């Protein structure tokens, strides 16, 4: 986390997995709380992605632990409008995430009120998976929906982001790009991988032709 901050990261994305909504179990409240002082020292935003069932039960606790952004899954939130209101009442930014098979229409009604829409470009649960190519078209369509309804929401993309696809994803309309195995690898220092991503972004999608 410190290495990525020193290499220019502004946001730390934290995947919280419960072994029920997704098959894997990852980290929870104590780790978010432990990361908060480091985030504050390096001026980092803590972007907490709740891959858990009944996320509404834990919103206040994650906010108290230090989350700046709380993102819930539409598939885990039958009362999504209420859940988004509950997040915003805690004075943190509200995000809604969609799995690869979930249609954009599922967030149409809350799009004007949310701060962030997260497109999953892998099936959630494990790191290191390959980017699902159809996500690019989904990002483009979401970008149009956002501008059509006048929403302030930004598009975040999570899963399989690497230097070979990061520019395409940004060109499709994403402005917050999550990279796990694309940055944290034994093959090279974090700073090198961050530089690779930033250079690919700066060159833009034309380089792919
Ligand atoms: Zn995530």
């Amino acid at each position: 986390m410190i290495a990525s901050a020193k290499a220019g990261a502004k946001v730390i994305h934290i995947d919280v997995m419960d072994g029920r909504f997704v098959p894997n179990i990852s980290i929870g409240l104590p780790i978010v709380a432990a990361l908060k002082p480091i985030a504050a020292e390096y001026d980092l935003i803590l972007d907490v992605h709740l891959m858990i069932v009944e996320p509404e039960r834990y919103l206040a606790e994650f906010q108290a632990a230090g989350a700046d952004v709380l993102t819930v899954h539409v598939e885990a939130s039958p009362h999504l409008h209420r859940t988004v209101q509950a997040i915003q009442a805690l004075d943190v930014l509200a995000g809604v995430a969609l799995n690869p098979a979930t249609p954009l229409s599922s967030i149409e009604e809350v799009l004007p009120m949310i701060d962030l829409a997260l497109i999953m470009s892998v099936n959630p649960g494990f790191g290191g998976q390959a980017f699902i190519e159809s996500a690019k078209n989904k990002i483009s369509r979401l970008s149009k929906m956002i501008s059509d309804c006048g929403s302030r929401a930004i598009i975040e993309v999570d899963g399989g982001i690497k230097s070979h696809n990061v520019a395409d994803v940004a060109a499709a309309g994403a402005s917050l790009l999550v990279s796990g195995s694309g940055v944290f690898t034994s093959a090279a220092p974090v700073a090198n991988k961050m530089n690779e991503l930033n250079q690919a972004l700066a060159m833009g999608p034309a380089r792919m032709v």
Side-chain angles (χ1 to χ4, degrees):
M1 177 167 154
I2 293 170
S4 52
K6 286 182 174 171
K10 305 288 182 216
V11 179
I12 297 298
H13 184 86
I14 301 170
D15 283 328
V16 177
M17 306 181 189
D18 65 354
R20 293 182 65 201
F21 180 66
V22 291
N24 205 0
I25 296 176
S26 64
I27 57 183
L29 285 157
I31 302 291
V32 176
L35 292 175
K36 186 61 178 176
I38 306 169
E41 184 180 345
Y42 288 90
D43 206 17
L44 294 163
I45 293 165
L46 286 186
D47 172 27
V48 176
H49 178 191
L50 297 175
M51 290 183 261
I52 64 177
V53 297
E54 301 178 77
E56 64 279 359
R57 292 175 57 196
Y58 301 98
L59 299 174
E61 287 170 274
F62 276 103
Q63 184 269 343
D68 299 299
V69 183
L70 282 172
T71 296
V72 298
H73 268 264
V74 59
E75 304 87 357
S77 308
H79 302 289
L80 187 58
H81 187 279
R82 181 190 294 158
T83 303
V84 168
Q85 283 183 320
I87 295 171
Q88 291 172 334
L90 293 169
D91 207 21
V92 296
L93 297 176
V96 175
L98 289 84
N99 281 337
T102 304
L104 292 172
S105 58
S106 63
I107 59 165
E108 192 176 351
E109 302 303 327
V110 296
L111 205 46
M113 65 191 286
I114 62 176
D115 302 292
L116 180 155
L118 193 167
I119 298 292
M120 288 302 301
S121 44
V122 299
N123 285 295
F126 298 95
Q129 299 182 72
F131 183 87
I132 297 171
E133 287 298 321
S134 60
K136 284 186 230 167
N137 178 271
K138 195 174 187 181
I139 297 161
S140 299
R141 285 181 284 125
L142 176 58
S143 183
K144 183 171 186 317
M145 282 172 66
I146 286 171
S147 54
D148 284 352
C149 76
S151 170
R152 66 180 175 280
I154 64 164
I155 301 176
E156 179 174 26
V157 178
D158 188 1
I161 300 287
K162 302 272 167 66
S163 55
H164 68 86
N165 58 23
V166 67
D168 279 359
V169 172
S175 54
L176 185 54
L177 307 167
V178 179
S179 190
S181 59
V183 171
F184 299 100
T185 160
S186 57
V190 168
N192 294 20
K193 301 304 283 184
M194 290 276 296
N195 284 340
E196 264 180 41
L197 285 175
N198 283 325
Q199 281 171 16
L201 267 175
M203 290 175 76
R207 78 187 192 93
M208 303 299 291
V209 177

